[in-house]
Amino acid sequence: MNGELKVSKIKNGTVIDHIPAGMAPAVLKILGIERSCPDTVIVAMNVKSQRLGLKDMVKVENRALEPQTVKKIAIVAPQATVNIIREMTVAEKIHVELPQELIGIIRCPNRNCITNSGERVVSHFTVERRAPLSMRCHYCESLVEGPAVELLL
Ligand SMILES: Nc1ncnc2c1ncn2[C@@H]1O[C@H](COP(=O)(O)OP(=O)(O)OP(=O)(O)O)[C@@H](O)[C@H]1O
Ligand SMILES: [Mg+2]
Ligand SMILES: [Zn+2]
C-alpha cells in the first residue's frame, strides 16, 4: 500500500473533489444526503492532496447536480471540482465558480428583511469579496461573511 485510497469506483454519477478538509458534511447537506439515500455514496475526509494539503471528497452514484446546487457547493468549497462520471470514467470536469449575483441561494440573516417576510421576494446577494467570502443583501444591505452561511435548501 502506498497510502492511496482504495474504494470502489462508481459507474455513473458525480465526484466532488478538492473539498476543503472538514467540509464534506456541508456538501452532503447541500446534496440532501443527511440520512439514508438509495444510491452508493462514498465520502472521504482528510485525504492527502497535493493542492490542498488535506481534502474531502464526495462521490454520489446516479446523481447529476443542478446549477443551483453547484453554486451552493461553491460557497462551502470554492476550489471544488465537479467530475461527471459516465461508464466509470470522467466525462466532464467543472471547476466550480461562485457567480457575482446569488439568487435564491442563501437566507438573509436579518429577520426583518423583506426576503424573510413571507412575501414572495427571492433572496438576492451580491458577492463583494471572494476570499474571505463576503456577500451583501440586495434588499436590506446586510453583510454575510464566511462559508458558515445559512443556505436555502
Ligand atoms: N469511476 C469513478 N468512480 C469514483 N471516482 C472516480 C471515478 N473516476 C474518477 N474518479 C475520481 O474523480 C477525481 C477526478 O478524476 P481524474 O481522473 O480527473 O483525476 P485528476 O487528474 O487527479 O483530476 P484533477 O486534475 O481534477 O485533480 C479523482 O479523485 C478520481 O479518483
Ligand atoms: Mg487529482
Ligand atoms: Zn436582507
Side-chain angles (χ1 to χ4, degrees):
M1 286 289 284
N2 53 7
E4 210 179 302
L5 201 63
K6 297 273 188 256
V7 284
S8 64
K9 292 201 158 193
I10 59 173
K11 187 159 188 266
N12 293 293
T14 303
V15 172
I16 305 158
D17 195 6
H18 308 118
I19 301 167
M23 296 309 270
V27 171
L28 290 171
K29 188 173 179 197
I30 290 166
L31 297 177
I33 307 169
E34 286 175 276
R35 291 187 182 81
S36 67
C37 160
D39 296 303
T40 298
V41 178
I42 301 164
V43 180
M45 294 175 69
N46 302 318
V47 298
K48 286 207 178 72
S49 155
Q50 295 233 308
R51 244 202 279 164
L52 300 179
L54 292 177
K55 68 174 179 181
D56 288 357
M57 246 189 297
V58 172
K59 308 187 180 197
V60 194
E61 196 147 42
N62 300 324
R63 177 80 192 259
L65 305 186
E66 305 286 329
Q68 286 290 91
T69 306
V70 176
K71 290 176 195 171
K72 289 173 189 170
I73 291 171
I75 292 177
V76 301
Q79 317 213 51
T81 313
V82 175
N83 298 278
I84 297 159
I85 309 296
R86 292 196 192 103
E87 300 300 323
M88 303 302 268
T89 62
V90 177
E92 263 178 74
K93 188 184 291 283
I94 301 159
H95 296 275
V96 305
E97 201 189 341
L98 198 60
Q100 199 69 29
E101 307 296 326
L102 298 171
I103 295 159
I105 302 286
I106 68 174
R107 184 181 300 287
C108 184
N110 173 7
R111 287 168 177 271
N112 297 320
C113 181
I114 189 161
T115 61
N116 288 321
S117 68
E119 296 189 43
R120 308 229 272 145
V121 179
V122 178
S123 143
H124 180 165
F125 277 77
T126 302
V127 175
E128 291 198 337
R129 193 181 58 211
R130 273 153 207 276
L133 183 58
S134 166
M135 300 161 288
R136 194 175 294 277
C137 179
H138 175 72
Y139 296 101
C140 73
E141 301 193 341
S142 288
L143 194 66
V144 173
E145 295 185 296
V149 299
E150 191 184 345
L151 297 168
L152 291 165
L153 294 175

